[in-house]
Amino acid sequence: MKILHRYVLKEHVGPLTFALTALTSILLLQYIGKHFGELVGKGLPTLVIAEFFGLSVPLTIALTLPMAVLVATLYAFSRLAAENEITALKASGVSLVSVLKPVLWAALGVTLVMVVFNDQVLPRSNHRLATLQRDIAQKKPTFGLREQVINEVSPGKFYLRAGHLDEASNMMREVTIYDMSDPTRRRTIFADSGNMGMSKGMTDLELTLYNGNTQDVPTNNADELQRLYFNVDLIRVRGVGNQFQKTTVDTYKSDREMTVCEMQAAQDRARREHEIARKEFEKTLASLRKAKAKVNKEVLNEDTREPWDVGLGRLYCGAIAALKPKVARAQAPPRASGTQAPIAVAPAQPPDITAQLATVETQRATLEDSVRLMNAYGVEIHKKFALAVACFIFVLLGAPIALRFPRGGVGLTIGVSLFVFALYYVCLIAGESLGKRGLMPAVVSMWMANVIFAMIALVLLAKMGKEGSTARGGDLREMFDSIRGWVRSKVGRKKPIIEPERAAA
């Protein structure tokens, strides 16, 4: 590696590290704040909370790494141009292509790493995070009692109110309990005092009540009342503070928890089911037309064609399978030859029109479900590759912008980054929605933002030799002036045409 190449790459390491750390921290705090209510007040172990934070990091990095690459490119090249290092290199006979070449190779390496990261690391962490969230949601919060308030001990079944509560000894006074666990009767318990404690397994609440009475009222007869007085009464409420248990085996995976090859296999399954359902659907429609039955127009007009795709996931999985060592498989034993007994065929029955009309609607629903699955899997497959390739495209876009406006500094970096981030992710989210709804092919909807920014980057790269060569110009004001001039040239007023008579006069 040349000294120049090492120097240019070294200029990117610091900004890349800072931007990746800062952006990841911001988005991670936002994600944790969104799910903060799921963690608080449940008595979760510290290791479980730390695991939740750790599994949230890969999801955040997949979004922030392309942003960090753009920030690092803008800042590094803007600093090189502002300190006249680019001018010195050009005076020494070093072309801008030579300066940009190591950064492009590094961006290509980051893109390949991101492909592997999005395909292998991200789905596994998403699956473990989703499983952990389901386990946390199943754990009930640790029981806590407040005085002068009706506390829901067991949801919909057991309520407790204590007039006074001693937190040191867990002694209660003026206790009222509403027990609605039995649907046939309503029981209310009054006690002068009581004691509260958890069982040995910390799962059940044990109440010891003193000097009170129990009132039972049947739900079918409100006039009947049974009252029982007691000196000491023991009550046990089960499942108040259950222990946290982690799921060890969870086979269910959503599309964001699958690798590319797993989603490709699921998409191929849905495609085969679609072909079978399509043949059965057309066969049933032909039978109904032959019987001159009236079919609902909505069933006929809705489009359930197989979505078009370029086969990027199939090509990727084929390359992965070619790199893996082949494993020998045992062949199935040959079937025994022989004559088979003739199968009796039942006589044909006249078709039931009502049953066939119901069948055709069911087949139409099956076609819609298979198309929906193919669209969802196709969008997620292309999304993994599109986010990875965005790292390379942002380098192509950031370098010429930074060299064109060398005095932009931090303002240029922040302004251009925010604009590009907002526009890119709006296009990404909109494309994801359009692709999953089948309004646009997945390959078009998910690569649309990359293609737009790549075209802009190529235009800027073609004009890269016309940037300012010194630090005197090329600041944000010049960038805004150039944008304003371009807008005026496109939408400005046209010059009035001089009429011949006035010209002669």
Side-chain angles (χ1 to χ4, degrees), residues 77 86 90 94-101 403 464-465 467:
F77 279 99
I86 297 294
K90 291 169 66 176
V94 179
S95 64
L96 293 178
V97 177
S98 300
V99 179
L100 190 59
K101 187 184 298 184
L403 293 177
M464 196 168 61
E467 70 280 348

Side-chain angles (χ1 to χ4, degrees), residues 88-370:
L89 290 172
K90 291 169 66 176
S92 302
V94 179
S95 64
L96 293 178
V97 177
S98 300
V99 179
L100 190 59
K101 187 184 298 184
V103 185
L104 292 178
W105 281 109
L108 182 60
V110 173
T111 299
L112 296 178
V113 171
M114 279 297 295
V115 169
V116 178
F117 180 85
N118 291 341
D119 180 36
Q120 298 296 325
V121 179
L122 183 60
R124 288 176 171 81
S125 64
N126 285 344
H127 179 60
R128 291 181 58 186
L129 180 61
T131 304
L132 183 63
Q133 286 179 330
R134 287 192 290 268
D135 294 338
I136 291 175
Q138 292 176 359
K139 187 182 186 308
K140 298 178 183 178
T142 304
F143 177 76
L145 183 66
R146 293 179 296 170
E147 62 182 17
Q148 301 291 341
V149 175
I150 298 177
N151 300 270
E152 187 180 30
V153 181
S154 181
K157 296 181 179 180
F158 200 90
Y159 300 86
L160 186 148
R161 181 187 181 278
H164 301 279
L165 175 64
D166 186 358
E167 297 181 0
S169 60
N170 287 335
M171 290 295 297
M172 303 176 293
R173 293 185 179 180
E174 301 176 7
V175 182
T176 305
I177 296 176
Y178 304 95
D179 186 2
M180 293 183 286
S181 57
D182 189 356
T184 62
R185 59 180 60 249
R186 295 291 180 263
R187 186 171 65 162
T188 306
I189 304 174
F190 302 94
D192 293 339
S193 60
N195 191 11
M196 177 182 63
M198 299 297 294
S199 62
K200 293 182 179 181
M202 300 296 293
T203 58
D204 302 336
L205 177 66
E206 296 179 346
L207 299 174
T208 305
L209 305 179
Y210 305 100
N211 301 326
N213 62 85
T214 301
Q215 298 180 1
D216 282 342
V217 178
T219 54
N220 57 1
N221 188 6
D223 297 333
E224 182 180 348
L225 173 65
Q226 295 182 358
R227 180 175 295 174
L228 176 65
Y229 294 89
F230 61 85
N231 293 327
V232 179
D233 190 12
L234 300 177
I235 299 177
R236 189 183 186 104
V237 185
R238 301 185 181 277
V240 172
N242 60 334
Q243 296 292 323
F244 176 76
Q245 295 180 355
K246 293 182 63 175
T247 303
T248 56
V249 179
D250 189 4
T251 57
Y252 171 76
K253 290 183 179 181
S254 64
D255 51 3
R256 296 188 178 182
E257 302 169 23
M258 295 181 181
T259 62
V260 172
C261 295
E262 289 175 344
M263 285 191 291
Q264 187 61 51
Q267 189 184 44
D268 292 340
R269 259 192 324 269
R271 184 173 287 107
R272 290 192 297 268
E273 293 175 358
H274 180 272
E275 293 176 359
I276 296 173
R278 187 75 184 179
K279 293 178 181 178
E280 295 293 332
F281 177 72
E282 293 176 353
K283 183 179 178 181
T284 308
L285 278 182
S287 178
L288 289 173
R289 290 192 183 100
K290 186 177 180 181
K292 298 181 179 181
K294 187 177 180 181
V295 184
N296 190 358
K297 293 183 179 180
E298 296 181 357
V299 176
L300 298 175
N301 294 335
E302 292 182 4
D303 187 13
T304 56
R305 291 176 296 178
E306 180 180 335
W308 174 77
D309 199 359
V310 296
L312 179 61
R314 192 175 295 106
L315 181 64
Y316 173 81
C317 295
I320 295 297
L323 295 176
K324 290 183 178 180
K326 296 183 179 179
V327 180
R329 296 182 178 179
Q331 297 181 356
R335 295 182 179 179
S337 60
T339 59
Q340 295 182 352
I343 300 175
V345 179
Q349 299 292 334
D352 187 356
I353 303 300
T354 305
Q356 286 188 343
L357 288 174
T359 301
V360 77
E361 294 183 0
T362 304
Q363 292 170 347
R364 166 63 70 174
T366 304
L367 287 173
E368 293 176 355
D369 292 339
S370 60

Side-chain angles (χ1 to χ4, degrees), residues 367-384:
L367 287 173
E368 293 176 355
D369 292 339
S370 60
V371 170
R372 192 179 299 111
L373 285 175
M374 284 188 284
N375 288 329
Y377 290 129
V379 165
E380 289 299 324
I381 289 173
H382 288 285
K383 184 179 179 181
K384 291 180 182 295

